[in-house]
Structure formats: structure tokens, C-alpha cells
């Protein structure tokens, strides 16, 4: 079943030269385009911008059930099915961490701040927390498990950059300490 086609309002601007932007206003999508675009270019841009907004909206509708399902998929794919969480939930009360794990009761909590981030970043945080079910600390063995996820370094960089832009300290344990560091 596909989503209903949203109502789209196109606003052309003579002052706008190259940029195209879109946002939701009331119950419609407003797309701002330069006045010099052809009708074909306008159609292409409107389609792209509507798809972007719909993807962003879908990310913001992530559920606890979907998060648990995704954690189980990642566990099977990257950790050999060895880290079996009992529950995985979104929480609003984590301001200094991206996620947390309680190995004793096998629960994982992810900060709601992650909901608007790309899937590969959320997947990294899930793998990180799942690895804590196998190795409680941030030991070399722990980072070995996390390293099975192919986007680990890219996701860590993304989260560190996001933290820097937001002027937040990176969460403890977010960067491994290597033996050759000064």
C-alpha cells in the first residue's frame, strides 16, 4: 500500500537563482524553485524534494517495535546472533549519550535524537549497544565486535561531527583509545 500523494504547492522566485528547497506547511508541501527552471526541471525537482521530505518523515515515525526488529536483524548479520536483546526502545531522557545498554536485563535504549539521523548511523549505535551484551566495557574485544559493522568509522565520524556542531561533548566511550595515541 503506497502513501497518498501529498498536496504540493510550487512557489517560483525571480530572486532564487540555483537553490531548490521544500518544507511542510499545514497539510501540504511547499517547494521553492528558481523562476528560470523549465517545467521538466521543475517536475524533477518537485519529485526529488517530495521524496526527501517523505523519507525524513518516515525516519521520525520510527517505533520501538521497528527498532527491536532492526536490532535483531543487525545482531544476526554482524554478531552471529549472539547478542539477543530483550527490549530496545527510544527514550527522551538521554542527553549525554546516543544509547545505553544494561547487560544484566538485556535492555537497550537509544536517544530520540537519533530518529532524524540516517539509518546507517542508527544501525551503528544499535550494533554498538548490542556489542555491550557480549562485552560490557569498551575493551579491544568490544571494539572487535563493533568493527563487524561496515559503516562504523563513518558513523562515528558523523556522530562526532554532529556533537561538535551542537557544541556537545562526545559521549564517553564513543572513540576507542588506541595504543599509539599520544
Amino acid at each position: 500500500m503506497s502513501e497518498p500523494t501529498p498536496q504540493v504547492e510550487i512557489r517560483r522566485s525571480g530572486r532564487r537563482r540555483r537553490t531548490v528547497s521544500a518544507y511542510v506547511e499545514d497539510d501540504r508541501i511547499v517547494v521553492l524553485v528558481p523562476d528560470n527552471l523549465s517545467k521538466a526541471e521543475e517536475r524533477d525537482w518537485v519529485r526529488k524534494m517530495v521524496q526527501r521530505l517523505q523519507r525524513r518523515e518516515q525516519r521520525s515515525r520510527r517505533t520501538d517495535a521497528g527498532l527491536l526488529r532492526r536490532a535483531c536483524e543487525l545482531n544476526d548479520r554482524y554478531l552471529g546472533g549472539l547478542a539477543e536483546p530483550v527490549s530496545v526502545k527510544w527514550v527522551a531522557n538521554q542527553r549525554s549519550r546516543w544509547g545505553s545498554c544494561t547487560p544484566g536485563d538485556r535492555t537497550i535504549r537509544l536517544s530520540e535524537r537519533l530518529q532524524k539521523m540516517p539509518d546507517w548511523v542508527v544501525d551503528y549505535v544499535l550494533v554498538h549497544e548490542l556489542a555491550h551484551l557480549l562485552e560490557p566495557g569498551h575493551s579491544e574485544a568490544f571494539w572487535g565486535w563493533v568493527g563487524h559493522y561496515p559503516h562504523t568509522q563513518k558513523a562515528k565520524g558523523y556522530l562526532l561531527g554532529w556533537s561538535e556542531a551542537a557544541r556537545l561533548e562526545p559521549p564517553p566511550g564513543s572513540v576507542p583509545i588506541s595504543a599509539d595515541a599520544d
Side-chain angles (χ1 to χ4, degrees):
M1 180 178 211
S2 63
E3 283 190 29
T5 305
Q7 180 184 357
V8 177
E9 177 183 336
I10 301 164
R11 295 183 188 165
R12 287 182 164 265
S13 169
R15 291 185 350 189
R16 188 175 282 270
R17 294 286 175 230
R18 294 185 300 226
T19 61
V20 176
S21 62
Y23 59 91
V24 177
E25 183 177 272
D26 299 322
D27 60 345
R28 68 185 182 284
I29 296 175
V30 177
V31 182
L32 307 171
V33 298
D35 203 25
N36 62 354
L37 286 185
S38 70
K39 286 294 182 187
E41 290 171 318
E42 177 184 286
R43 269 192 311 276
D44 286 345
W45 273 110
V46 167
R47 179 185 51 76
K48 285 179 193 173
M49 298 309 281
V50 167
Q51 285 175 343
R52 282 184 192 169
L53 285 174
Q54 287 175 331
R55 278 195 307 269
R56 186 180 305 153
E57 175 66 23
Q58 281 218 285
R59 281 198 298 264
S60 70
R61 283 188 259 150
R62 292 174 169 164
T63 64
D64 289 348
L67 195 59
L68 177 61
R69 233 182 347 271
R70 185 63 183 157
C72 291
E73 291 169 9
L74 293 167
N75 175 39
D76 288 344
R77 185 177 304 153
Y78 300 113
L79 305 175
L82 297 173
E84 296 176 344
V86 169
S87 76
V88 183
K89 297 182 181 201
W90 295 107
V91 295
N93 64 351
Q94 287 193 2
R95 291 286 157 230
S96 64
R97 297 172 182 238
W98 297 113
S100 60
C101 173
T102 306
D105 62 10
R106 308 192 71 73
T107 59
I108 294 172
R109 293 151 311 281
L110 263 55
S111 171
E112 287 180 343
R113 293 178 296 157
L114 290 164
Q115 288 188 340
K116 296 191 187 267
M117 294 187 184
D119 292 339
W120 53 270
V121 174
V122 176
D123 286 354
Y124 161 71
V125 177
L126 281 170
V127 169
H128 181 109
E129 299 307 331
L130 286 164
H132 279 305
L133 296 176
L134 303 173
E135 292 286 335
H138 289 105
S139 65
E140 193 174 314
F142 166 83
W143 288 110
W145 284 110
V146 174
H148 288 126
Y149 179 63
H151 304 294
T152 293
Q153 293 307 318
K154 181 170 82 164
K156 285 169 45 179
Y158 183 98
L159 292 170
L160 286 171
W162 192 97
S163 296
E164 181 67 27
R167 300 191 189 287
L168 299 173
E169 282 291 317
S174 62
V175 182
I177 300 169
S178 68
D180 57 327
D182 291 321

